[in-house]
Amino acid sequence: IKKAKLISKLIKNLNLKNKKLIVLIGHMGSGKSTIGKILARELNWNFFDSDKEIEKKENMSINQIFTEKSESHFRNLEKKYIIKLMQNKNTVIALGGGSIKISKIRKFVEKEAISIFLKVDIKTLLKRLLNNKNRPLLINTNIEKKIKVLDSERYKLYRNANIILENTKSKKDIIDQILRILNNEKR
Ligand code: S3P
């Protein structure tokens, strides 16, 4: 009973019946791509990683886009490609950690998708991001300070997700929890 209560507390405004789109949100290093891939496989849905799609379509790495163009150019690409990706049905998308700051994306997510926030404490994030090489926002900077700044800007947006999960347990636990919540909603 205790467990059921806990889970229901973390679920907000779910109306999944017509929603065939799941987006994973949260900080860099929170496990969106890893979890998203497994979840899509379990559901037999498509999987996309927004960063990978942008790299493929632009034929440039994220690092290159930031350095050769700019962050704001990257954000425009995010807006364009993520809105396009979200037209798909039966699809799971791992969204770049900063894309939630784009209001057009936020509105679309709210209306059309089931959003899942993978909430990971800063200490764990730091451990995972320490040797990061392909995240331009974390290069040549104090990663801890940077993540804290990003968290102060973004946490309030992440926490509006339909489902909030603490991503410190095993991958299997997380997937099981998500599937359980989705199944309960369908009934
Ligand atoms: C960013 C997160 C990255 C990538 C880019 C910027 C951010 O995606 O889009 O480096 O602003 O948090 P991941 O969250 O997939 O690492």
Side-chain angles (χ1 to χ4, degrees), residues 10-16 19 110 113 160-163 185:
L10 303 175
I11 310 171
K12 291 189 280 181
N13 328 312
L14 282 197
N15 175 16
L16 310 186
K19 293 187 173 175
E110 220 168 274
N160 287 326
N162 298 129
I163 302 170
E185 276 293 314

Side-chain angles (χ1 to χ4, degrees), residues 82-141:
I82 290 175
I83 296 286
K84 226 184 245 170
L85 281 178
M86 289 195 296
Q87 315 290 327
N88 290 296
K89 294 284 178 224
N90 300 323
T91 293
V92 178
I93 310 172
L95 292 185
S99 60
I100 202 69
K101 291 196 71 185
I102 300 165
S103 74
K104 194 173 173 191
I105 292 181
R106 256 188 344 261
K107 284 182 191 137
F108 199 100
V109 166
E110 220 168 274
K111 207 160 150 242
E112 307 290 345
I114 301 161
S115 51
I116 303 177
F117 169 30
L118 299 182
K119 184 177 169 188
V120 174
D121 62 276
I122 301 223
K123 225 173 109 190
T124 309
L125 284 180
L126 287 176
K127 249 190 255 159
R128 294 183 190 170
L129 293 170
L130 213 59
N131 291 316
N132 151 82
K133 292 218 167 45
N134 44 25
R135 289 183 169 107
L137 291 178
L138 304 180
I139 293 173
N140 294 329
T141 186

Side-chain angles (χ1 to χ4, degrees), residues 26-30 32-33 49-51 54 62-63 66 71 74-75 78 94-99 129 134-138 150 154 158:
H27 282 298
M28 299 177 255
S30 60
K32 293 164 292 184
S33 301
D49 174 306
S50 69
D51 289 339
I54 292 169
I62 302 291
N63 267 337
F66 270 72
E71 176 170 352
F74 174 74
R75 299 300 173 198
E78 276 194 310
L95 292 185
S99 60
L129 293 170
N134 44 25
R135 289 183 169 107
L137 291 178
L138 304 180
L150 294 178
R154 296 174 180 178
Y158 292 150

